[in-house]
Amino acid sequence: MYTKQDFNFTTLGRTLILDFSYHHDERSFHFIQVLSTVLNKQFNKQLEDSTTTFNSINLFFKEDFQIEKIKPTILKTIDVLDIKKANPIKLWKLPICVDEQYTVDVHDFFNGDIKQVNAYIDRFLSLEFHLVFYGFLPGFPYLGGLPAEMAIPRKATPSRLTQKGSVAVGGDQVGIYPQDSPGGWNVVGNCPIPLMDFTKNPPNHIEPADRIQFFKISTAEHVDVATALERNRSHPFLKILYS
Amino acid sequence: MIEVIDAGFYSSIQDQGRMGYRHLGVPVSGAMDQKAFDLAHQLLGKTLDFSCIECTLIGPILRFHEPCSLVLTGAHMQAWVNENPIQNNTTIAILSGDVLKLRRATKGLRTYIKINQAIISPVLLGSTSFYKPLTQDAVLKKGNHIFWIKSDKAFDKSNARIRWDDSYLLSKDLEVEKGPEFNVLSKTVQQQIYQNDFLINSQNRMGYRISSPFSMDSLSMLSGAVRPGTVQITPSGTLLIAGVDGQVSGGYPRIFQLTEEALTVLVQKKEGDYVSFKSHDTLPQKEL
């Protein structure tokens, strides 16, 4: 949990940054989500956008602002914040293929020890993650909820190509690559459904604080759903996000 | 309609930007030099559409199949309509069949072509700005046809020419404010960084890479917010300055933020140019 003393104010041009230290517990995460929502409403007309990362809330103002004027207002908001006022949280179940071609990095990490690889993947599938924020690439979700002992350090040299759909672990963060990209995270599987459709507005369904769990699919099922997407056909898995 | 005969080095359709989607990881995009972009609007008066063509280093060759007015703003490129040389910041009447030819930039890097008609281009999340993979293409290609909404008003002489200071195109001084992690720099570096000139290694719409001799210990930090003009320093001492297509978050210490004006100075610099950082305080105060 946080009090107003836990927040440090800095600026980046017209962006006001509230820094705080990242706590893993659920109540702290919840506090930040509610604060972020409330600040967004409070400054709505003056804001171009706002983002929340693991340890910061960033308010992008349309015009220059004076921090001395805004800071007291925000501190007061923190003081009286009612964290019961949260948005409803949804649980999303996303398909993931963990067949060998998508788990090379995990095999490498465990030096090819199949037992350890399988134990890691099985535990990964049992976990419930939460969306912290989108960043890095359009539609790239940063997911929290990976236990510390399951963390895999980022690669010393990033791969030139991390495939679209890769579900990957970087330290104790989990992400899903929305497009082919160079990447330094370790791939643990592949999710064939992109989280966003940028031809729609809004393009996303999964909101910060929502829960995500993965369920295992075969390579054949992965190909099926990827093909359906490509050819604009319907598929039961696509109804998870696009109904 | 405009027919792209030669697309030039890197030409794309850009507007004021894709505001309000950073929380989905979507950069703002839009014209890199917002000052030149605004000037084009002032010169042509209000139009329905904000889209323009941003040209980089070597401009395109375009054939106009309908009459209109146009202006060029930003970098100075060698420019002709048919065989007649034309100048920036001046309204030019284009007749059906005219060929606008832009070649190498002689001063600055990015030129804006704006016509007094509403260009038709797909709108994604409220903006026509090219940004792959959101938009299908990153750049215009030879053979592309750019259409505009039919209107009665082909010519617009309302603001044929205005006084304009283009000296920023030659400036190398970037006015900066300290960023949240400025203090990761040693006391010595904190002084030196305002004194050196720095070489631009490479640049594109995502950002500028600039070498510096200031290598430092790797700092483990969580990704923080980055906006156009944010300067990050990597352990090897490379300075990364975010452009309008840059990532919305970054994991390196943010040592500076360029002012809006400094960002327009930067985006007109090319590979091989030098820049220097000037503290907000050391520059002469603006006269009121």
Side-chain angles (χ1 to χ4, degrees):
Chain A
M1 284 294 287
Y2 299 95
T3 63
K4 63 184 175 189
Q5 281 78 28
D6 296 317
F7 293 88
N8 179 41
F9 290 71
T10 54
T11 62
L12 209 51
R14 288 179 187 155
T15 308
L16 176 65
I17 304 173
L18 276 76
D19 284 308
F20 46 89
S21 45
Y22 173 52
H23 299 316
H24 286 259
D25 66 286
E26 212 153 300
R27 274 169 65 85
S28 300
F29 177 70
H30 184 67
F31 183 97
I32 296 302
Q33 292 302 317
V34 176
L35 176 59
S36 166
T37 309
V38 170
L39 290 177
N40 230 314
K41 280 186 191 142
Q42 196 171 1
F43 294 101
N44 182 29
K45 291 214 171 84
Q46 300 165 57
L47 294 181
E48 188 181 291
D49 205 349
S50 80
T51 63
T52 304
T53 68
F54 283 98
N55 59 352
S56 68
I57 293 174
N58 309 283
L59 304 175
F60 293 79
F61 283 84
K62 289 176 187 162
E63 306 286 338
D64 292 341
F65 60 88
Q66 284 177 295
I67 191 163
E68 310 81 48
K69 280 193 182 161
I70 287 171
K71 194 174 161 181
T73 319
I74 294 179
L75 291 176
K76 198 170 168 211
T77 303
I78 296 170
D79 258 346
V80 301
L81 193 70
D82 178 8
I83 62 163
K84 284 184 221 99
K85 272 193 199 161
N87 294 328
I89 290 168
K90 297 190 204 92
L91 171 67
W92 304 88
K93 299 205 172 191
L94 300 180
I96 187 174
C97 181
V98 291
D99 288 350
E100 229 179 297
Q101 72 271 28
Y102 295 123
T103 53
V104 177
D105 290 343
V106 190
H107 280 88
D108 285 351
F109 182 69
F110 290 113
N111 294 317
D113 184 337
I114 300 294
K115 247 188 184 170
Q116 285 193 70
V117 172
N118 289 342
Y120 186 91
I121 301 283
D122 284 348
R123 188 158 173 215
F124 189 90
L125 294 174
S126 75
L127 297 168
E128 205 177 276
F129 300 98
H130 54 268
L131 175 66
V132 183
F133 70 107
Y134 292 105
F136 173 46
L137 296 167
F140 181 98
Y142 285 86
L143 307 180
L146 191 73
E149 66 273 19
M150 287 186 74
I152 305 180
R154 290 185 182 87
K155 294 173 188 173
T157 315
S159 309
R160 291 169 68 100
L161 176 71
T162 301
Q163 252 181 2
K164 177 179 176 173
S166 292
V167 178
V169 172
D172 62 358
Q173 307 172 85
V174 176
I176 308 173
Y177 284 72
Q179 66 198 60
D180 287 352
S181 157
W185 292 20
N186 302 278
V187 181
V188 302
N190 192 287
C191 170
I193 311 177
L195 299 196
M196 289 191 198
D197 177 355
F198 288 105
T199 62
K200 306 262 161 55
N201 197 355
N204 63 313
H205 298 269
I206 307 179
E207 302 274 356
D210 279 359
R211 308 258 139 188
I212 290 172
Q213 197 175 18
F214 294 100
F215 67 92
K216 194 161 128 179
I217 59 168
S218 66
T219 300
E221 287 173 304
H222 186 281
V223 171
D224 263 4
V225 63
T227 312
L229 251 179
E230 209 173 282
R231 300 192 181 157
N232 227 346
R233 287 197 200 134
S234 69
H235 188 284
F237 290 166
L238 293 176
K239 288 184 184 141
I240 298 169
L241 284 180
Y242 311 105
S243 51
Chain B
M1 184 267 275
I2 302 169
E3 177 192 354
V4 179
I5 296 170
D6 177 331
F9 176 67
Y10 196 100
S11 310
S12 61
I13 291 180
Q14 298 294 338
D15 60 10
Q16 75 288 351
R18 198 166 271 121
M19 307 300 177
Y21 296 95
R22 286 181 168 101
H23 62 283
L24 302 180
V26 179
V28 290
S29 302
M32 284 281 269
D33 183 346
Q34 285 286 330
K35 189 162 112 171
F37 176 74
D38 286 344
L39 172 66
H41 284 279
Q42 287 180 42
L43 284 162
L44 287 174
K46 271 188 189 162
T47 52
L48 289 168
D49 176 74
F50 290 97
S51 305
C52 67
I53 299 172
E54 180 180 272
C55 321
T56 318
L57 193 64
I58 300 166
I61 301 173
L62 307 173
R63 177 178 285 124
F64 287 77
H65 291 260
E66 288 156 278
C68 67
S69 295
L70 68 74
V71 288
L72 306 178
T73 62
H76 295 208
M77 288 184 177
Q78 301 165 295
W80 300 266
V81 170
N82 303 327
E83 301 304 319
N84 308 313
I86 57 165
Q87 285 185 337
N88 275 27
N89 310 339
T90 306
T91 313
I92 292 151
I94 296 290
L95 302 174
S96 183
D98 279 355
V99 173
L100 171 70
K101 184 173 168 187
L102 296 191
R103 295 286 86 181
R104 192 163 268 283
T106 52
K107 193 163 130 188
L109 177 63
R110 294 184 161 87
T111 301
Y112 296 86
I113 305 172
K114 175 84 182 84
I115 64 169
N116 67 333
Q117 307 290 332
I119 283 178
I120 301 169
S121 185
V123 176
L124 265 122
L125 304 181
S127 166
T128 59
S129 293
F130 280 20
Y131 169 72
K132 216 179 164 174
L134 245 65
T135 59
Q136 213 169 3
D137 297 307
V139 287
L140 290 171
K141 292 186 190 111
K142 180 180 175 172
N144 280 166
H145 290 173
I146 303 167
F147 294 92
W148 64 69
I149 298 169
K150 291 267 176 284
S151 84
D152 302 334
K153 190 183 69 167
F155 303 116
D156 187 343
K157 291 264 184 189
S158 62
N159 234 331
R161 187 163 191 163
I162 59 175
R163 275 168 58 92
W164 182 254
D165 181 7
D166 264 352
S167 61
Y168 77 104
L169 294 172
L170 293 175
S171 169
K172 67 176 177 59
D173 292 344
L174 304 176
E175 197 183 349
V176 292
E177 292 162 16
K178 287 175 190 168
E181 286 85 37
F182 180 77
N183 287 329
V184 304
L185 302 175
S186 69
K187 287 274 171 275
T188 331
V189 173
Q190 288 186 18
Q191 306 248 316
Q192 282 176 1
I193 201 156
Y194 292 113
Q195 289 152 13
N196 293 23
D197 281 353
F198 299 97
L199 175 72
I200 296 170
N201 276 338
S202 64
Q203 68 77 31
N204 56 33
R205 287 180 46 86
M206 283 185 73
Y208 277 66
R209 297 177 75 93
I210 292 172
S211 34
S212 90
F214 309 132
S215 65
M216 48 186 292
D217 294 337
S218 170
L219 186 80
S220 168
M221 55 178 272
L222 290 161
S223 288
V226 167
R227 59 178 296 149
T230 303
V231 185
Q232 297 179 83
I233 187 164
T234 71
S236 65
T238 302
L239 303 174
L240 307 172
I241 312 185
V244 295
D245 284 355
Q247 292 172 11
V248 299
S249 58
Y252 296 114
R254 297 160 294 182
I255 56 167
F256 287 134
Q257 175 65 39
L258 268 59
T259 62
E260 303 281 322
E261 175 73 23
L263 188 57
T264 65
V265 172
L266 177 74
V267 302
Q268 291 295 353
K269 298 287 155 298
K270 54 186 185 297
E271 207 177 299
D273 286 348
Y274 284 87
V275 288
S276 60
F277 299 105
K278 297 290 170 229
S279 160
H280 208 47
D281 316 321
T282 58
L283 284 180
Q285 294 295 307
K286 271 183 197 146
E287 279 176 54
L288 294 172

